[in-house]
Amino acid sequence: MRRLARSLQLAGAWASFAAGCIGIFVPVLPTTPFLLLAAFLFARSSPRTHAWLCSTKVYRRYVAAFKQAGGIPLSTKIRIVGVSYAMMGVSALVVQKPLVWAVLGCVAVFLLYLMAVRIPTIEQKRVDRVRVEDVA
């Protein structure tokens, strides 16, 4: 039974990791929560894979600073919003349906709310300090 639970956690971790990586490019999928879930599930199912995940560029870029410093630098927020809005604009042009536009509009407003209100803005120095401490 324990082996089945470990296998299910490992499968869930890989699925969460994949969703997080896809979320880098697809504005509707959030990257950080999926990578946090993957880290949690990897830690419970495979310490070796958890260590690998924590050493990846994707994890360090999207999760480590947020997890340790408690926020996202303004420049990163601007990049996230810019790329997401560009992708949503392309999607709106390709799929010219009012329902899709409404969904994309809701996602755009929610993303702006997250970046402007919910997720704290931190100084870039704090992120750089976290990265230096991770390397040391």
Side-chain angles (χ1 to χ4, degrees), residues 14-35 37 58 62 80-81 83-85 87-88 91 103-104 107-108 110-111 114-115 119:
W14 280 112
S16 296
F17 177 73
C21 289
I22 292 169
I24 295 169
F25 306 102
V26 178
V28 178
L29 287 175
T31 300
T32 303
F34 280 120
L35 293 179
L37 178 59
V58 171
Y62 291 96
I80 290 169
V81 170
V83 169
S84 297
Y85 278 23
M87 293 300 294
M88 285 186 265
S91 298
V103 170
L104 289 172
V107 170
F110 183 67
L111 178 63
L114 284 176
M115 292 299 150
I119 299 173

Side-chain angles (χ1 to χ4, degrees), residues 12-111:
W14 280 112
S16 296
F17 177 73
C21 289
I22 292 169
I24 295 169
F25 306 102
V26 178
V28 178
L29 287 175
T31 300
T32 303
F34 280 120
L35 293 179
L36 284 170
L37 178 59
F40 172 76
L41 293 172
F42 278 137
R44 292 180 55 101
S45 62
S46 172
R48 186 182 68 159
T49 311
H50 179 259
W52 166 81
L53 173 67
C54 292
S55 72
T56 64
K57 184 178 178 180
V58 171
Y59 182 88
R60 287 192 318 267
R61 185 173 196 165
Y62 291 96
V63 179
F66 179 80
K67 189 174 164 188
Q68 293 176 3
I72 299 175
L74 181 61
S75 61
T76 303
K77 285 184 172 187
I78 291 170
R79 188 181 74 245
I80 290 169
V81 170
V83 169
S84 297
Y85 278 23
M87 293 300 294
M88 285 186 265
V90 169
S91 298
L93 288 173
V94 171
V95 182
Q96 296 194 2
K97 296 189 179 211
L99 180 61
V100 171
W101 293 346
V103 170
L104 289 172
C106 290
V107 170
V109 169
F110 183 67
L111 178 63

